[in-house]
Amino acid sequence: MIGARIRELRKERSMTLRELADDLGIPFTTLGNYERGDRQPDFQFILDISKYFGVSMNFLTRTDEMASYEDYKVVSYSEDVTEMLNKANPEVRKKILDIQHQLFLITCEHAISHPNNDELEILESILNSITKMKQGFGIGIKKGGFSSSTKFELAKSYLKEKEEINKHFNQLFEIYIERSVK
């Protein structure tokens, strides 16, 4: 079972056997033996691979709970969100729950009625652009602030992502107009 889990995680990342073996610092033949079940990995390898992929050792070794990595992500994500919400102050928790509610409605719509998946791709692109902007503003923060060249680079990055977001909003608008006319 461990080998099948490793293969699933590797393929999820579109990695070759050799790429993963190189990253882990082991011969690719050894990794192949683990994936096929010809050899069983030792405890240290299981610990290393769980850290590498960001999964629990329990996920790698258990056969009964999680059918797939996707199932693991759903359960793990739900547990993490619940834990964070329990720690958040009430005002922040309310805002997070409002956002989650909107995402839940979108999720339900797509899971039940199978509308155009372009909408999901566009929404994902918008969220990715927001994340890029947020990460960009975290780079180069110094005690004295940003240098003028850093400010210029941040402004360029911001404008580029803003342009992408605007493009995606226009695409969403077209999808919603088309859907409402039908």
Side-chain angles (χ1 to χ4, degrees), residues 120-169:
L120 285 178
E121 290 176 20
I122 293 167
L123 290 169
E124 180 184 27
S125 295
I126 290 170
L127 291 172
N128 286 338
S129 289
I130 291 169
T131 301
K132 283 181 192 174
M133 281 195 300
K134 188 175 176 184
Q135 289 171 343
F137 280 103
I139 296 171
I141 295 178
K142 301 175 187 159
K143 194 172 188 176
F146 294 102
S147 70
S148 54
S149 66
T150 305
K151 287 178 186 175
F152 176 74
E153 291 301 318
L154 285 172
K156 267 183 23 181
S157 174
Y158 167 79
L159 290 173
K160 178 182 176 226
E161 293 305 327
K162 185 176 181 288
E163 190 176 298
E164 284 295 308
I165 290 172
N166 286 337
K167 179 182 85 176
H168 294 308
F169 273 120

Side-chain angles (χ1 to χ4, degrees), residues 56-112:
S56 69
M57 291 191 331
N58 194 29
F59 171 75
L60 291 171
T61 58
R62 300 232 13 209
T63 60
D64 56 349
E65 280 186 19
M66 306 293 164
S68 69
Y69 179 58
E70 287 296 317
D71 292 343
Y72 172 79
K73 287 193 300 187
V74 168
V75 170
S76 177
Y77 176 77
S78 298
E79 290 170 354
D80 291 347
V81 168
T82 300
E83 185 178 331
M84 287 184 280
L85 285 173
N86 288 334
K87 293 177 181 178
N89 73 50
E91 186 178 310
V92 170
R93 182 181 11 236
K94 182 184 179 333
K95 289 179 183 182
I96 291 170
L97 287 172
D98 288 346
I99 292 168
Q100 236 184 350
H101 177 70
Q102 295 301 318
L103 289 172
F104 176 75
L105 293 175
I106 291 168
T107 302
C108 289
E109 177 187 358
H110 284 271
I112 295 168

Side-chain angles (χ1 to χ4, degrees), residues 115-116 174-182:
N116 186 338
E174 290 173 15
I175 288 172
Y176 297 151
I177 289 292
E178 184 180 313
R179 200 179 294 165
S180 68
V181 173
K182 288 183 179 179

Side-chain angles (χ1 to χ4, degrees), residues 45-61:
F45 178 81
I46 295 170
L47 180 62
D48 291 344
I49 198 117
S50 69
K51 285 180 183 176
Y52 181 87
F53 284 114
V55 298
S56 69
M57 291 191 331
N58 194 29
F59 171 75
L60 291 171
T61 58

